């Protein structure tokens, strides 16, 4: 089992540029989550998908943020245009559901710095 | 509103001591509770998951308990080691938001040699 795979691991870009973060969930998992973590705000859930369908995007901070899951093995989180306050570590996680819930598995994260 | 609270925010103990980390939640209608460990600059690693029908789970020196009626979970670490130093987060799955988990802010543990 390869685990949740995120890319890139680090991203440094200038304000105003488009940023795309990528995630490959664990095969067979039907839930996928995008989180953002900062010192000030801790771990925040941005959006999550079930069977490739967005269920709750209330955590997405602004219209500049968008997420897609075109198939069960791939998801993207896009920021356009990026701003310095978007600098954070972005995590992707996946899990499966069987009435009692199974563990969430996290990727190693993407450390994003917007200059 | 469903909230998850972890107190204290930070804890420092000498090596070898047994310790307890606390997690409290405001809604007893939960389907599971998960404890994670996060090392600086790293992702979250799942330690233990307790399903709502269970009272505790054990893995090595770790023991997690769950009391839904009082809205509490504890993570017990026996014979602490410097390598246990990390931030520990609990995440609660509430039935009203089935599928996702609500995270506490974590307790940062330092075990001094």
């Amino acid at each position: 089992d390869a685990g949740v795979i995120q890319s890139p691991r680090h991203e440094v870009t200038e304000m105003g540029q488009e940023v795309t973060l990528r995630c490959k969930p664990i095969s067979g998992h039907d839930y996928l989550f995008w989180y953002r973590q900062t010192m000030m705000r801790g771990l925040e859930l941005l959006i999550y998908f079930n069977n490739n369908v967005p269920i709750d995007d209330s955590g997405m901070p602004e219209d500049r943020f968008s997420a897609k899951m075109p198939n069960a093995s791939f998801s993207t989180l896009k920021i356009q245009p990026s701003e310095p306050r978007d600098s954070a570590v972005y995590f992707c996680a996946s899990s499966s559901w069987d009435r009692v819930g199974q563990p969430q598995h996290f990727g190693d994260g993407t450390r994003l710095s917007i200059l | 509103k469903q909230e998850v609270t972890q107190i204290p925010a930070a804890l420092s103990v000498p090596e070898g001591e047994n310790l307890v980390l606390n997690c409290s939640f405001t809604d007893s209608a939960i389907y599971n509770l998960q404890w994670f460990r996060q090392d600086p600059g790293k992702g979250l690693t799942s330690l233990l998951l307790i399903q709502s029908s269970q009272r505790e789970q054990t893995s090595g020196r770790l023991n997690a308990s769950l009391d839904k009626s009082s809205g509490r979970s504890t993570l017990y670490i026996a014979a602490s080691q410097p390598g246990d130093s990390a931030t520990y987060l609990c995440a609660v799955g509430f039935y009203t938001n089935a599928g996702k988990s609500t995270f506490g802010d974590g307790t940062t543990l330092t075990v001094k040699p």
Side-chain angles (χ1 to χ4, degrees), chain A residues 33 35 37 97 100 103-104, chain B residues 31-32 34 38 43 99-100 103:
Chain A
F33 307 84
Y35 294 90
Q37 187 176 42
W97 172 257
V100 296
Q104 280 194 33
Chain B
Y31 56 87
N32 68 21
Q34 192 170 1
Q38 185 175 29
K100 75 174 189 178
F103 280 79

Side-chain angles (χ1 to χ4, degrees), chain A residues 1-111:
Chain A
D1 189 343
V4 176
I5 299 173
Q6 291 187 247
S7 64
R9 290 296 311 276
H10 303 274
E11 174 90 12
V12 180
T13 190
E14 292 188 348
M15 174 179 173
Q17 297 297 307
E18 178 179 291
V19 174
T20 300
L21 311 181
R22 297 173 176 79
C23 175
K24 177 178 170 58
I26 292 173
S27 177
H29 282 187
D30 52 357
Y31 278 86
L32 183 140
F33 307 84
W34 282 102
Y35 294 90
R36 176 172 71 176
Q37 187 176 42
T38 61
M39 289 292 291
M40 289 292 292
R41 301 174 68 93
L43 190 69
E44 303 173 275
L45 177 65
L46 301 177
I47 184 171
Y48 74 101
F49 296 82
N50 176 222
N51 292 321
N52 313 336
V53 176
I55 302 300
D56 184 354
D57 65 355
S58 60
M60 296 284 263
E62 300 171 33
D63 291 344
R64 298 184 296 107
F65 286 69
S66 62
K68 294 182 180 180
M69 192 165 185
N71 57 62
S73 60
F74 183 66
S75 177
T76 60
L77 177 68
K78 188 173 293 187
I79 308 173
Q80 166 63 21
S82 57
E83 298 183 4
R85 60 191 166 129
D86 302 329
S87 297
V89 181
Y90 291 80
F91 289 105
C92 175
S94 70
S95 70
S96 58
W97 172 257
D98 59 358
R99 287 184 59 231
V100 296
Q102 294 300 318
Q104 280 194 33
H105 297 264
F106 278 71
D108 289 336
T110 294
R111 186 171 297 276

